[in-house]
Amino acid sequence: MKVEFSAKELYDRISNQVHNRFDRQTPMLLGETERTLFGFILKELLMKL
């Protein structure tokens, strides 16, 4: 099971949920998209999304 997530991977998960719930809203990702975020801290939370 993957323990680290990049900003792009987190964005993809969140963006799809936001866009499905609010048709006219699309989040933006700016900056270092391949930067690793949070490590294992958010592993369980992200797996629930």
Side-chain angles (χ1 to χ4, degrees), residues 16-41:
N16 288 334
Q17 290 183 2
V18 169
H19 192 65
N20 286 337
R21 191 165 189 190
F22 306 100
D23 293 338
R24 301 177 80 186
Q25 296 290 320
T26 302
M28 293 174 46
L29 176 62
L30 304 172
E32 299 178 43
T33 61
E34 295 305 318
R35 186 177 191 154
T36 300
L37 300 174
F38 308 115
F40 69 92
I41 297 171

Side-chain angles (χ1 to χ4, degrees), residues 1 5 7 11 29-30 34 39 43 48:
M1 188 175 285
F5 295 89
Y11 168 80
L29 176 62
L30 304 172
E34 295 305 318
K43 179 178 118 181
K48 292 179 183 178

